[in-house]
Amino acid sequence: MLKPFLMTAAAALLVGSAARATDIGTVIDVPCPFGDCKAGISLSYLGEYDIATGFMENGAEVGGLSGIDFDPSTGHYISISDDRSEKAPARFYDLDIDVSAAGLKGVTVLDHVTLKDKNGQPFAIRTVDSESIRIGKDGIYWSSEGDGKALLPPFVRVANRDGSFVRELPLPSGFAPTADKSTGIRDNLAFENLTFLSGGDLLVGMESALYQDGPMTTLTNGALARLIRYEAATGEQKAQYVYPVSPIPQAAAKPGGWSDFGMSEILALDDRHALSIERGYAQDVGNSVVINMFDLDGATDVSNIPSLAKTDQRIVPVRKTQVMDLRALGLAPDNIEGVTFGKAKDGTDVLIFVADNNFNPTQKTQFFAFKVIRRPQ
């Protein structure tokens, strides 16, 4: 959902001077991020498709799409809603995305699956805030941000295809919310991100900083968000890393207006590189959506550091570099919160983004598609 480590991200966008990403086929090329040409990534824009707020599927309003993943067994996509069981029980959707090398033609909502709690029942109203979803070897992994105000802890759980509960990964110390806000998650800024590294480990990312790790983002300072690395099969925590969220890139139009910025999703490229989405909103200005690549290699394991703000230990965060800025490319992104690699029916490798419309009639459930020309393997 929307709501200081000083680090400059280097950008390398090789886009023709006369072309914009709104032209189908425009190429965005980052040949040597971090000076490592093996980590190069190259994408070609395939188009946008929108679903208006209020669209219904089998009695459930389609919206709040905060995570998406490709299912190679069906050729479809699953996308989780962050509806807190208020419009319909917590759920994920089955989507058919009509995309090929010729462009993005449409998105069909085929069905939805209700997520179940540990007792096998649909989640009660405001007992869950589902945000990210990934298909693992032993089930569907999904995250909840919890509720900082109600002192509900965040979690990562594994579900069967029918949404039934399988197991929950252990929550590391320091993440549970506290009444005095001395430690733990901030409300709406918790487990927003999930991805599987190529070696099988699960990476879970915070949207912003824990209370004990420093302040949220401002117009002049970033925030320190933790990444948890789990051995997926056992749920054992292997490490934690620091991801430096950038400062808010744009101010609200009027003094005192709302503006924010946070990390809304991550997507592994190999066992050390991943993409991240940093997105935010400035009141009466619009959304900012920046896609970065980050590198875990050499990052400090901070799992035994209770507070990043109160430690004398030298900490090396993950390195990151900007891949693309959707607004700078000529697009008009909404609240982008999900991303996945997929395979089109014609065999084209694609990168799909989805926006959470917040069930707001002034917003939309928005999809962007890019052809993957080159990526780290």
Side-chain angles (χ1 to χ4, degrees), residues 1-170:
M1 284 188 179
L2 280 180
K3 287 293 174 208
F5 194 95
L6 300 180
M7 178 177 179
T8 301
L13 300 180
L14 302 185
V15 181
S17 58
R20 297 176 69 83
T22 45
D23 300 324
I24 303 299
T26 298
V27 173
I28 299 93
D29 192 26
V30 186
C32 297
F34 318 111
D36 179 3
C37 293
K38 292 182 179 179
I41 187 168
S42 184
L43 307 168
S44 175
Y45 182 64
L46 292 176
E48 174 186 349
Y49 187 84
D50 301 333
I51 298 175
T53 296
F55 180 81
M56 304 293 289
E57 179 275 323
N58 286 336
E61 184 174 346
V62 175
L65 302 191
S66 296
I68 189 169
D69 205 25
F70 178 65
D71 185 351
S73 70
T74 63
H76 296 162
Y77 296 76
I78 59 172
S79 186
I80 198 164
S81 173
D82 68 3
D83 177 11
R84 299 188 184 191
S85 291
E86 293 175 306
K87 294 183 175 293
R91 60 204 175 277
F92 64 87
Y93 298 94
D94 181 16
L95 307 177
D96 184 25
I97 299 180
D98 183 4
V99 63
S100 68
L104 174 59
K105 304 301 182 183
V107 178
T108 303
V109 185
L110 302 173
D111 197 3
H112 73 267
V113 175
T114 299
L115 291 162
K116 306 297 198 309
D117 63 18
K118 293 180 179 179
N119 298 316
Q121 300 299 313
F123 283 89
I125 292 175
R126 299 195 68 82
T127 59
V128 68
D129 184 5
S130 43
E131 291 291 347
S132 187
I133 191 165
R134 297 294 179 195
I135 297 173
K137 293 180 179 180
D138 58 341
I140 294 174
Y141 287 66
W142 63 283
S143 69
S144 168
E145 285 195 302
D147 189 324
K149 294 177 181 178
L151 301 184
L152 292 175
F155 62 70
V156 176
R157 291 185 179 178
V158 184
N160 289 310
R161 293 275 178 160
D162 63 1
S164 59
F165 174 82
V166 175
R167 62 189 173 95
E168 182 174 327
L169 277 62

Side-chain angles (χ1 to χ4, degrees), residues 65-69 79 131-132 134 192 264-267 277 279 291 335-340 352-356 366 368:
L65 302 191
S66 296
I68 189 169
D69 205 25
S79 186
E131 291 291 347
S132 187
R134 297 294 179 195
E192 192 85 17
S264 64
E265 191 57 286
I266 52 179
L267 178 64
I277 301 173
R279 61 83 185 92
I291 314 303
N335 179 31
I336 301 292
E337 293 209 348
V339 63
T340 186
I352 304 290
F353 293 93
V354 66
D356 172 2
Q366 178 188 56
F368 288 121

Side-chain angles (χ1 to χ4, degrees), residues 56-374:
M56 304 293 289
E57 179 275 323
N58 286 336
E61 184 174 346
V62 175
L65 302 191
S66 296
I68 189 169
D69 205 25
F70 178 65
D71 185 351
S73 70
T74 63
H76 296 162
Y77 296 76
I78 59 172
S79 186
I80 198 164
S81 173
D82 68 3
D83 177 11
R84 299 188 184 191
S85 291
E86 293 175 306
K87 294 183 175 293
R91 60 204 175 277
F92 64 87
Y93 298 94
D94 181 16
L95 307 177
D96 184 25
I97 299 180
D98 183 4
V99 63
S100 68
L104 174 59
K105 304 301 182 183
V107 178
T108 303
V109 185
L110 302 173
D111 197 3
H112 73 267
V113 175
T114 299
L115 291 162
K116 306 297 198 309
D117 63 18
K118 293 180 179 179
N119 298 316
Q121 300 299 313
F123 283 89
I125 292 175
R126 299 195 68 82
T127 59
V128 68
D129 184 5
S130 43
E131 291 291 347
S132 187
I133 191 165
R134 297 294 179 195
I135 297 173
K137 293 180 179 180
D138 58 341
I140 294 174
Y141 287 66
W142 63 283
S143 69
S144 168
E145 285 195 302
D147 189 324
K149 294 177 181 178
L151 301 184
L152 292 175
F155 62 70
V156 176
R157 291 185 179 178
V158 184
N160 289 310
R161 293 275 178 160
D162 63 1
S164 59
F165 174 82
V166 175
R167 62 189 173 95
E168 182 174 327
L169 277 62
L171 182 68
S173 62
F175 284 80
T178 55
D180 64 2
K181 300 180 181 180
S182 59
T183 61
I185 62 167
R186 288 180 162 90
D187 191 47
N188 282 341
L189 295 174
F191 287 177
E192 192 85 17
N193 315 283
L194 294 179
T195 194
F196 283 101
L197 300 172
S198 61
D201 288 348
L202 179 71
L203 205 61
V204 180
M206 295 283 294
E207 184 172 352
S208 193
L210 297 168
Y211 275 112
Q212 67 269 30
D213 287 338
M216 297 164 48
T217 54
T218 67
L219 290 167
T220 55
N221 292 291
L224 304 180
R226 293 194 186 224
L227 298 164
I228 308 169
R229 185 171 187 162
Y230 286 101
E231 183 178 273
T234 64
E236 176 187 357
Q237 180 188 226
K238 299 178 72 173
Q240 289 181 30
Y241 311 107
V242 175
Y243 179 97
V245 181
S246 297
I248 299 171
Q250 57 183 4
K254 299 177 182 178
W258 176 262
S259 62
D260 65 2
F261 208 55
M263 181 167 60
S264 64
E265 191 57 286
I266 52 179
L267 178 64
L269 298 166
D270 53 26
D271 208 43
R272 57 180 276 195
H273 300 99
L275 297 178
S276 64
I277 301 173
E278 293 184 35
R279 61 83 185 92
Y281 176 76
Q283 191 173 352
D284 297 323
V285 177
N287 295 283
S288 292
V289 180
V290 176
I291 314 303
N292 300 294
M293 183 187 295
F294 66 91
D295 186 355
L296 299 173
D297 189 47
T300 303
D301 178 2
V302 297
S303 54
N304 292 318
I305 300 177
S307 169
L308 301 177
K310 297 179 181 179
T311 182
D312 294 329
Q313 182 174 333
R314 179 177 179 268
I315 295 174
V316 178
V318 302
R319 295 184 296 162
K320 75 173 184 180
T321 186
Q322 185 172 306
V323 173
M324 58 182 175
D325 180 325
L326 296 189
R327 288 188 67 185
L329 291 173
L331 302 174
D334 209 301
N335 179 31
I336 301 292
E337 293 209 348
V339 63
T340 186
F341 287 111
K343 180 79 71 173
K345 293 177 177 61
D346 66 352
T348 301
D349 290 316
V350 293
L351 182 67
I352 304 290
F353 293 93
V354 66
D356 172 2
N357 69 344
N358 295 310
F359 296 97
N360 186 328
T362 67
Q363 295 182 259
K364 54 196 174 186
T365 298
Q366 178 188 56
F367 296 83
F368 288 121
F370 292 81
K371 178 181 177 180
V372 180
I373 301 170
R374 184 181 71 257

